[in-house]
Amino acid sequence: MEMTNQVYGQMVNEFSKESPKVKDSVLAFAVGGGICVIGQILKNVYTAWGVSEQDAGIWVTITLIFLSALFTGLKLYDKLAKYAGAGTLVPVTGFANSIVSPAMDFKSEGFITGMAAKMFQIAGPVLVFGIGSSVIYGIILVLFGLA
């Protein structure tokens, strides 16, 4: 049997099951919202301890990054991601996971050529395009006298 695009498409349709989109969306919303609620609770705790609003925001970010990296290292973040899907992609926690996960996967190849070289494999393009677009945006603002 020759494998054409049409035959392959029929096979994919035959063997793939329909995703429960509503359930997946609700879980993603609930878990992503839950992570944000945890961040707000942390901010409230930090401000109650006398930390300024701005510094509390910084401490919340640091705490969420640390917890995300820790849970990734303990293989708990992957279990949560299987259950919650896109809800775990809340920017700070998802970004920390995208750096720690490849570093763990390639640690057997050594510190320099494995862990250090591969840790930005997923997050690298995000950094490149994020930084690049912010530079272009800054140049546009300067050229038009808006900065």
Side-chain angles (χ1 to χ4, degrees), residues 113-138:
T113 58
M115 193 176 77
K118 303 286 187 174
M119 69 189 299
F120 291 106
Q121 188 174 22
I122 297 170
V126 174
L127 289 170
V128 168
F129 288 107
I131 294 168
S133 61
S134 67
V135 168
I136 291 169
Y137 181 71

Side-chain angles (χ1 to χ4, degrees), residues 9-25:
Q10 288 173 343
M11 288 176 63
V12 167
N13 291 335
E14 183 180 328
F15 291 107
S16 49
K17 63 179 185 172
E18 184 76 19
S19 294
K21 293 178 182 82
V22 173
K23 177 186 166 203
D24 289 348
S25 297

Side-chain angles (χ1 to χ4, degrees), residues 100-114:
V100 174
S101 189
M104 289 178 46
D105 291 343
F106 293 100
K107 69 182 178 184
S108 63
E109 294 181 21
F111 183 75
I112 302 296
T113 58

Side-chain angles (χ1 to χ4, degrees), residues 46-116:
Y46 291 143
T47 54
W49 288 347
V51 177
S52 72
E53 283 276 327
Q54 185 175 2
D55 288 346
I58 294 168
W59 280 104
V60 168
T61 304
I62 291 168
T63 305
L64 288 176
I65 289 171
F66 170 76
L67 290 174
S68 176
L70 177 67
F71 290 162
T72 300
L74 296 173
K75 303 201 187 289
L76 296 174
Y77 201 92
D78 290 342
K79 290 178 183 176
L80 179 63
K82 274 186 184 174
Y83 174 75
T88 57
L89 297 176
V90 174
V92 172
T93 56
F95 190 72
N97 174 263
S98 73
I99 291 175
V100 174
S101 189
M104 289 178 46
D105 291 343
F106 293 100
K107 69 182 178 184
S108 63
E109 294 181 21
F111 183 75
I112 302 296
T113 58
M115 193 176 77

